[in-house]
C-alpha cells in the first residue's frame, strides 16, 4: 500500500493584517500546495491520499475553495486514488456545512470519534491495505481518540491509522491546544504499521518502529513556520521495511533573518544592506526551489543611532517596502523590539546622579509605584472613558521616555549632563 500523508492544509486562512494582494497570494498558495500534492499522487500512482485533519481553517469553506477542492478530489478519483480524511479541531464533523459538500465517491470522511475502517484497493480491485481513522466531532475534543483505533483483524495486509492529535512528546506541541491528546507508547503498541498524524505543524518522526509521523502543515502560514513544507510519500508494500520520504509542496516559504551590526547605520540604504547580506547567506545555505516565493521577517537588534525612527510604523513600512523591491520577495515584515539606543537604560538606572534619578523615577511612574501627587484632573488630555485608568494613561505617555532621557542626558564620554 502506497499513499501520501498530508495534514493541516488550513484552506481559507484569513492572513489578516497583510495587504489584500499578499492575502490573496497566500490563500492561493494553500490551494497550489494541495494541487501539487494531487499532481504527485497521480504521477506516482499511489493507492490513497490520507488527510490528518484541518483541511479547512474553519467550518465554512468559501465557494471558491469548495469548487477547487472538489475538482482536486475528482482528479484523484479519475486516477483510481482513494482519499481518507479525518476531521480536526478547525474543521470538526459538527461544522455547519460538514457532509454537505457532495464529496465524490472515492472520499471517505471520518467525522467523529467512532472509528472508520477503509479498505484501500488497487485499480484491479484487490485490497492493498487498510486505513482506520477517527475524527473530531467538535472543535474541542479532549478525550484520547487513539484508544478507539484498532487494526482490522485476520489480515497480513499493511494497516495505517489516521488521526488529528497532540502527542505529548511531540516537538513544537506546546504552541498547539491539547486536543485529542495521545501517548506515544500507546500508539506504538496499537498494532498499526504506520500512524499518519496531524495537528502539530512541525514535521517529525516520533517513532521509526512502527513509523509514527507528523507530516507538518502543507504550506507555512506564519513567520514561525519556516523551512520547506509538504507531505510524506509512504510505501508499506513491505510493512517490515516501510519507506517514508518527504515531498515539498509549498510554493511560498517563510524566512526569519536575525540582523545586528546597525551601530553605524544612519540611512535607509545602510539599514537594508545588512538585511540583504543576511538574505544572501540564507539563500546560499538553502536556495529553495526554482518557483519558490518568499515571505521574510527581518528581526533587527542591537544599538542603533536610529532607534527612534525604528519605532515608527511608517518608517518600518518604508524599510519593508524597500526590502520587498530589493530582494524580490512576496512580502516583508520588519521587527525592531531588540533595537535600543547606543547606550542601554538598564546599564545606567543605578547611577547616583541626576540621570540615574530620572530613570528610576520614570520606571516607578510607569510601574504605578509613584503618582507624583497628580490627580486625574491634573493630567492634560486625559479622558477616563477613552484612556482607562490614569496609571494606564501615564504608562502610554512614558512609552520610550527612559531611552529619550538617556539619549538627551548622556554625553559621549558616559557622564551625565
Amino acid at each position: 500500500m502506497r499513499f501520501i500523508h498530508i495534514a493541516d492544509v488550513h484552506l481559507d486562512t484569513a492572513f489578516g493584517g497583510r495587504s489584500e494582494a499578499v492575502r490573496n497570494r497566500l490563500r492561493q498558495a494553500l490551494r497550489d500546495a494541495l494541487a501539487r500534492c494531487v499532481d504527485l499522487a497521480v504521477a506516482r500512482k499511489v493507492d490513497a491520499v490520507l488527510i490528518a485533519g484541518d483541511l479547512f481553517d474553519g467550518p465554512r469553506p468559501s465557494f471558491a475553495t469548495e469548487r477547487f477542492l472538489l475538482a482536486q478530489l475528482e482528479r484523484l478519483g479519475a486516477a483510481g486514488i482513494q482519499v481518507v480524511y479525518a476531521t480536526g479541531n478547525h474543521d470538526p464533523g459538527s461544522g455547519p456545512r460538514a457532509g454537505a459538500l457532495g464529496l465524490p465517491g472515492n472520499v471517505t470522511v471520518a467525522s467523529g470519534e467512532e472509528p472508520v475502517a477503509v479498505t484501500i484497493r488497487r485499480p484491479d480491485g484487490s485490497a492493498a491495505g487498510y486505513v482506520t481513522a477517527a475524527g473530531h466531532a467538535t472543535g474541542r475534543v479532549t478525550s484520547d481518540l487513539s484508544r478507539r483505533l484498532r487494526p482490522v483483524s485476520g489480515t497480513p495486509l499493511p494497516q495505517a491509522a489516521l488521526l488529528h492529535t497532540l502527542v505529548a512528546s511531540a516537538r513544537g506541541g506546546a504552541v498547539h491546544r491539547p486536543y485529542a491528546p495521545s501517548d506515544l507508547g500507546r500508539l506504538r503498541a496499537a498494532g498499526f504499521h504506520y500512524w499518519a498524524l496531524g495537528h502539530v505543524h512541525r514535521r517529525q518522526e516520533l517513532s521509526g518502529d512502527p513509523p509514527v509521523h507528523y507530516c507538518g502543515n502543507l504550506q507555512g502560514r506564519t513567520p514561525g513556520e519556516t523551512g520547506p513544507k509538504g507531505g510524506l510519500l509512504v510505501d508499506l508494500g513491505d510493512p517490515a521495511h516501510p519507506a517514508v520520504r518527504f515531498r515539498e509542496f509549498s510554493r511560498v516559504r517563510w524566512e526569519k533573518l536575525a540582523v545586528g551590526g546597525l551601530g553605524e547605520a544612519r540611512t535607509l540604504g545602510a539599514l537594508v544592506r545588512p538585511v540583504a547580506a543576511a538574505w544572501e547567506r540564507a539563500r546560499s545555505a538553502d536556495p529553495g526551489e526554482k518557483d519558490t516565493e518568499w515571505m521574510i521577517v527581518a528581526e533587527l537588534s542591537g544599538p542603533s543611532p536610529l532607534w527612534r525612527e525604528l519605532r515608527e510604523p511608517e518608517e518600518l513600512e518604508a524599510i519593508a517596502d524597500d526590502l520587498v523591491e530589493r530582494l524580490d520577495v512576496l512580502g516583508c515584515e520588519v521587527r525592531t523590539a531588540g533595537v535600543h539606543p547606543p547606550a542601554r537604560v538598564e546599564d545606567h538606572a543605578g547611577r547616583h546622579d541626576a540621570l540615574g534619578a530620572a530613570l528610576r523615577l520614570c520606571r516607578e511612574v510607569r510601574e504605578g509605584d509613584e503618582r507624583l501627587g497628580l490627580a486625574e484632573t491634573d493630567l492634560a488630555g486625559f479622558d477616563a472613558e477613552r484612556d482607562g485608568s490614569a496609571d494606564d494613561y501615564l504608562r502610554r505617555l512614558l512609552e520610550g521616555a527612559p531611552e529619550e532621557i538617556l539619549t538627551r542626558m548622556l554625553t559621549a564620554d558616559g557622564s551625565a549632563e
Side-chain angles (χ1 to χ4, degrees), residues 4 10 12 24 47 70 126 132 167 171-173 177 181 269 304 307 325-327 361 381 389:
I4 295 177
H10 290 280
D12 283 342
N24 289 339
D47 301 305
L70 291 176
S126 63
T132 302
V167 179
R171 289 176 288 116
R177 294 186 181 276
S304 169
W307 64 272
E325 183 176 348
R326 185 183 297 247
L327 304 182
L361 179 59
S389 71

Side-chain angles (χ1 to χ4, degrees), residues 298-301 310-312 316 319 334-340:
E299 296 183 327
L300 311 187
S301 64
L310 292 175
R311 293 190 175 186
E312 297 296 329
L316 299 185
I319 297 172
V334 179
R335 297 178 179 177
T336 58
V339 174
H340 57 81

Side-chain angles (χ1 to χ4, degrees), residues 211-229:
V212 179
H213 284 261
Y214 280 110
C215 59
N217 51 338
L218 200 67
Q219 163 71 58
R221 301 187 303 150
T222 71
E225 296 178 346
T226 58
K229 297 287 185 176

Side-chain angles (χ1 to χ4, degrees), residues 343-351 353-367 398 400-410 416:
R344 298 177 67 93
V345 171
E346 54 265 34
D347 295 336
H348 296 272
R351 298 170 63 122
D353 56 12
L355 173 57
L359 294 175
R360 288 192 294 276
L361 179 59
C362 187
R363 181 188 63 202
E364 291 167 0
V365 174
R366 293 179 67 195
E367 294 178 352
L398 292 173
E403 292 84 359
E404 187 67 36
I405 292 171
L406 181 65
T407 302
R408 287 174 178 268
M409 295 185 67
L410 193 66

Side-chain angles (χ1 to χ4, degrees), residues 220-264:
R221 301 187 303 150
T222 71
E225 296 178 346
T226 58
K229 297 287 185 176
L232 299 175
L233 179 61
V234 181
D235 190 336
L236 297 181
D238 180 0
H241 300 89
V244 182
R245 299 180 180 86
F246 171 71
R247 291 292 183 266
E248 183 175 358
F249 298 136
S250 56
R251 289 189 180 276
V252 175
R253 283 181 53 181
W254 298 80
E255 181 74 72
K256 278 187 177 181
L257 303 173
V259 181
L262 307 176
E264 303 302 319

